[in-house]
Amino acid sequence: MTNQGAGDAFVLFERVQKSYDGETLVVKDLNLSIGKGEFLTMLGPSGSGKTTCLMMLAGFETATHGEIKLAGRPINNIPPHKRGIGMVFQNYALFPHMTIAENLAFPLEVRNMGKSEREEKVKRALDMVQMGTFGGRRPAQLSGGQQQRVALARALVFEPELVLMDEPLGALDKQLREHMQFEIKRIADGLGITVVYVTHDQTEALTMSDRVAVFNDGKIQQLAPPDVLYEEPENSFVAQFIGENNTLEGVVKEINNGVALVELDDGELIDCKPVNVSKPGERTRVSIRPERVEMNKARLQPGAHTLKAEVLEFIYMGDIFRTRLRVAGNEEFVVKTRNAPDQRRMQPGEQIEIGWLPTDCRALDA
Amino acid sequence: MSETTHSGPMLAADGMPLKRSLARALRRQKLRALALVAPLLIFVLLTFVTPIVSMLWRSVENQIVPETLPNTIVALQNWDPTAGELPGEDVYAAFATDLVAAVDAKIHTKLGTRLNYEMPGISSLFRSTGRDVKKWNLETDGPFKEKFIESDKDWGDIDVWKTFKRYSGNYTSGYFLNAVDMENTATGVQLRPEDQRIYATLFIRTMWMSLLITGSCLLLGYPVAWILANLRASTANVLMILVLLPFWTSLLVRTSAWKVLLQQQGVINDLLVWVGLVDDGNRLVMINNQFGTIIAMTHILLPFMILPLYSVMKTVPPSYLRAAKSLGATNWTAFWRVYFPQSVPGIGAGSILVFILAIGYYITPELVGGTQGVFISNRIAFHISTSLNWGLAAALGTILLAAVLLLYYVYDKIVGIDNVKLG
Ligand SMILES: Nc1ncnc2c1ncn2[C@@H]1O[C@H](COP(=O)(O)OP(=O)(O)OP(=O)(O)O)[C@@H](O)[C@H]1O
Ligand SMILES: [Mg+2]
């Protein structure tokens, strides 16, 4: 499902730029191709241009430059109501003066569908989101999660091939959100529709998507499946933004056979995997995931690199332990360990030795 | 569950019924709240409720007749007006007694004015005879029947006495009948002669023109409110000042400005003549008629339509329109099926506001309405300040009030008053 070529792309952004005020670019040179049936998530901090991209795709904003294609056809000049794209809004946008059934019938009505067929489809769509008995109610009489499901059903009832969702779960509590993530994924997979999903919750992005596009500053920083994104971030923004991350700063000494020797700012030398450093003398940020750091010498893999550390804080979190260390001058270095029977609980002030595999430690841009 | 096993009221800890101790606890709060609202309450009572009650009272009150002519009224009880004969000497003697007392107290002209509303001419009768009566001696100068008819032969007109008898009660329906172009004559309640009917026409015209004004305010105000609600805040604020600008200009100035614009030698006519659309010989008559009133009042009342519309539209998120379009609705369908229904509370609020303001408007119709464009309120003002027939003015005002309440009720039945929102 990953990395379709431009040829068989269902949705294609080609060199798209967008500016609202004619002074700053909110979207800068966006290139993105989304395959049919793919679940693609746009993830990024607030103001990074995710909604703007979605709105350009839906037709509510026009691209200042570049072209957007849907199933091979340029859609820049097609008005929103002719694009046939389903959309779930952040605040659901259920029409308050219509009942749930009327809300769902609306897209069918404007397509001049007959009454019996309409009722049939509305019923099927409501059943799909397990809201079959709520057709007669008004949106205000539903809970947030129920409204969310209705909004989903309404975006799907006219059988669009592409559905856009702009932070559809933003207003729900954690438990309901997790439940709905699963529901949306199940329904989307079941219908085989293409979904473009916007969120700034990274867990949501990682658990639901086929691919995630990480946005920052109007640009896609990395476009990759969740596991690649997490384990092989291509730059320090992605490494910081996705999951928890430890950073050590230093200078590249030499690069040999795919191994970079980095001198950390306190003088220690470590081996890393060079990702976007190219020559000696460059400053770099070395990134290591907290769960890839080992504090138990007995468990260290052969070839692991070791460093001295001082325990600053120990937090018991039930399933895991979270230990904050001072490593190479960085006091925010975190290590996560599984609550296993042989795992020791550290005391603040302890001097220990930690280690990791050079392949888990990535030298990124400074 | 415990209520089913308990008999009698719930008791508080000290054994008092819970209801009573709750009421006692709340009483202090209530008193304090009352003290806080008292100034406003008194103000409203004095400036709003009292005038309305006094208006209702004046529209039926008739005590001046029984109070000024107590003996005459008693004497008239035995007189049968249908017999076609003048009352006897006893009535004239009683009337002489009352009139002398009234002349002494200098209130006979007031009574004359009051009865003149019911029978034109009585006022001068009272004034002229009032002068003669001063020379009469009640003990010696009888019989008074001849003396009255000698003073003015109209005292021999049976209709005068019928009017006295008809309006001898403490209360009267005369003002209300008058206000709906009817009268209570010797032959019963009937419509006035055609050339004296004015109020029904005026009421209908007031309603009709107020509806027109409300409609044109809605037509003009809806797009403006829509634009205001959908612009960026900074631009919207500037435009909002333009909407509010009329509030900062005197009503008289604005109305006079319309005179300058609309009169036959005015700006608009000059322009049309200059362009060649209108011949210099037949310049358009746009003022001192209904057209002038509608134009000027639409202008003046427009903010009252725009503001409620704006504040309601402001609360309708743009995402509804977007959602409708993404579901396949054209611009028009999205507006009509999704946006418009949500703006109805604003339309209701604006329309009620404009209509009720229009129905009681006075200054503008007076200045630009001519004879064809005046409202019922101009007639009320005339009776209050010129003809001094306050009873009739009160009756007209009461009918106007009732009409507004009735409309409000009808609106509530049809649209629902919960469907009115000022923001
Ligand atoms: N209608 C608009 N007019 C002018 N600027 C806008 C408009 N909409 C968005 N912007 C600007 O464009 C940038 C990107 O906005 P966008 O809504 O796409 O961000 P986002 O990634 O969706 O953020 P969030 O996660 O907070 O929803 C922001 O800096 C925002 O201020
Ligand atoms: Mg957004």
Side-chain angles (χ1 to χ4, degrees), chain A residues 119-195:
Chain A
E119 281 170 0
E120 163 72 29
K121 289 205 175 195
V122 167
K123 187 177 163 347
R124 209 162 352 117
L126 281 179
D127 286 341
M128 179 178 70
V129 293
Q130 290 140 34
M131 293 286 295
T133 54
F134 291 84
R137 293 216 201 163
R138 292 282 164 109
Q141 297 166 320
L142 298 185
S143 74
Q146 291 169 332
Q147 291 185 33
Q148 210 287 327
R149 282 189 228 184
V150 173
L152 183 63
R154 191 180 65 173
L156 296 173
V157 70
F158 60 101
E159 292 162 11
E161 291 184 84
L162 174 62
V163 177
L164 313 181
M165 306 191 191
D166 191 357
E167 302 192 32
L169 307 180
L172 304 184
D173 65 51
K174 188 166 175 295
Q175 208 161 359
L176 196 54
R177 196 159 62 216
E178 279 164 11
H179 177 70
M180 286 306 301
Q181 286 168 7
F182 170 76
E183 290 279 275
I184 290 176
K185 182 73 178 151
R186 181 179 62 82
I187 291 171
D189 286 350
L191 297 174
I193 50 175
T194 309
V195 178

Side-chain angles (χ1 to χ4, degrees), chain A residues 60 81 85 94 97 109 111, chain B residues 320 322 326-327 329 337:
Chain A
F60 299 122
H81 67 271
I85 298 176
L94 296 177
H97 58 292
E109 245 171 83
R111 286 175 171 74
Chain B
Y320 286 129
R322 291 185 160 183
S326 83
L327 294 171
R337 294 278 316 272

Side-chain angles (χ1 to χ4, degrees), chain A residues 214 222 229-230 232-247 285-289 362 364-365:
Chain A
V214 180
Q222 188 171 358
L229 202 64
Y230 186 81
E232 299 168 22
E234 275 171 10
N235 55 42
S236 41
F237 175 81
V238 177
Q240 288 292 344
F241 193 72
I242 308 286
E244 224 176 338
N245 185 57
N246 292 311
T247 317
R285 281 183 191 191
V286 176
S287 129
I288 313 118
R289 293 288 180 201
R362 301 166 64 81
L364 302 170
D365 52 313

Side-chain angles (χ1 to χ4, degrees), chain A residues 55 60-61 80-81 85 87 89 91 93-98 106-107 109-111 154 158, chain B residues 317 319-331 333-334 336-339 341-342:
Chain A
M55 288 300 159
F60 299 122
E61 295 289 350
H81 67 271
I85 298 176
M87 185 143 187
F89 290 82
N91 56 3
L94 296 177
F95 307 139
H97 58 292
M98 300 184 190
F106 183 82
E109 245 171 83
V110 299
R111 286 175 171 74
R154 191 180 65 173
F158 60 101
Chain B
S319 60
Y320 286 129
L321 270 184
R322 291 185 160 183
K325 285 186 210 168
S326 83
L327 294 171
T330 59
N331 286 340
T333 317
W336 182 245
R337 294 278 316 272
V338 174
Y339 196 85
Q342 296 188 61

Side-chain angles (χ1 to χ4, degrees), chain A residues 50-52 90 166-167 198:
Chain A
K50 308 179 296 288
T51 301
T52 306
Q90 181 164 11
D166 191 357
E167 302 192 32
V198 167

Side-chain angles (χ1 to χ4, degrees), chain A residues 3-292:
Chain A
N3 271 335
Q4 275 79 7
D8 59 339
F10 185 56
V11 178
L12 189 65
F13 284 84
E14 269 179 340
R15 319 213 52 182
V16 172
Q17 295 186 331
K18 172 71 185 176
S19 170
Y20 283 107
D21 51 7
E23 284 168 18
T24 50
L25 282 176
V26 172
V27 174
K28 301 169 182 165
D29 196 33
L30 179 78
N31 291 289
L32 176 61
S33 84
I34 304 169
K36 202 158 172 54
E38 185 173 5
F39 196 117
L40 182 124
T41 298
M42 295 178 171
L43 174 69
S46 197
S48 55
K50 308 179 296 288
T51 301
T52 306
C53 284
L54 218 55
M55 288 300 159
M56 287 193 290
L57 186 50
F60 299 122
E61 295 289 350
T62 48
T64 319
H65 176 83
E67 195 147 46
I68 303 173
K69 288 183 179 164
L70 182 62
R73 273 195 314 156
I75 54 169
N76 284 13
N77 292 320
I78 301 179
H81 67 271
K82 291 199 179 136
R83 295 192 181 190
I85 298 176
M87 185 143 187
V88 180
F89 290 82
Q90 181 164 11
N91 56 3
Y92 315 137
L94 296 177
F95 307 139
H97 58 292
M98 300 184 190
T99 63
I100 300 309
E102 285 165 350
N103 261 283
L104 263 75
F106 183 82
L108 308 177
E109 245 171 83
V110 299
R111 286 175 171 74
N112 296 319
M113 190 176 282
K115 191 161 190 286
S116 54
E117 195 182 354
R118 223 159 58 202
E119 281 170 0
E120 163 72 29
K121 289 205 175 195
V122 167
K123 187 177 163 347
R124 209 162 352 117
L126 281 179
D127 286 341
M128 179 178 70
V129 293
Q130 290 140 34
M131 293 286 295
T133 54
F134 291 84
R137 293 216 201 163
R138 292 282 164 109
Q141 297 166 320
L142 298 185
S143 74
Q146 291 169 332
Q147 291 185 33
Q148 210 287 327
R149 282 189 228 184
V150 173
L152 183 63
R154 191 180 65 173
L156 296 173
V157 70
F158 60 101
E159 292 162 11
E161 291 184 84
L162 174 62
V163 177
L164 313 181
M165 306 191 191
D166 191 357
E167 302 192 32
L169 307 180
L172 304 184
D173 65 51
K174 188 166 175 295
Q175 208 161 359
L176 196 54
R177 196 159 62 216
E178 279 164 11
H179 177 70
M180 286 306 301
Q181 286 168 7
F182 170 76
E183 290 279 275
I184 290 176
K185 182 73 178 151
R186 181 179 62 82
I187 291 171
D189 286 350
L191 297 174
I193 50 175
T194 309
V195 178
V196 180
Y197 191 97
V198 167
T199 180
H200 49 219
D201 178 341
Q202 41 151 316
T203 327
E204 198 165 294
L206 294 181
T207 51
M208 298 177 79
S209 327
D210 294 325
R211 282 193 302 162
V212 180
V214 180
F215 272 67
N216 188 34
D217 195 23
K219 278 192 286 230
I220 295 186
Q221 302 290 333
Q222 188 171 358
L223 172 62
D227 52 341
V228 178
L229 202 64
Y230 186 81
E231 282 167 33
E232 299 168 22
E234 275 171 10
N235 55 42
S236 41
F237 175 81
V238 177
Q240 288 292 344
F241 193 72
I242 308 286
E244 224 176 338
N245 185 57
N246 292 311
T247 317
L248 300 172
E249 302 207 12
V251 179
V252 179
K253 282 275 152 203
E254 56 181 73
I255 304 180
N256 259 332
N257 301 332
V259 179
L261 183 67
V262 174
E263 181 181 1
L264 298 181
D265 286 350
D266 71 338
E268 293 253 19
L269 287 168
I270 55 171
D271 282 340
C272 308
K273 184 173 172 179
V275 178
N276 49 9
V277 291
S278 51
K279 55 182 190 295
E282 254 182 280
R283 275 203 73 79
T284 181
R285 281 183 191 191
V286 176
S287 129
I288 313 118
R289 293 288 180 201
E291 67 276 9
R292 293 296 171 100

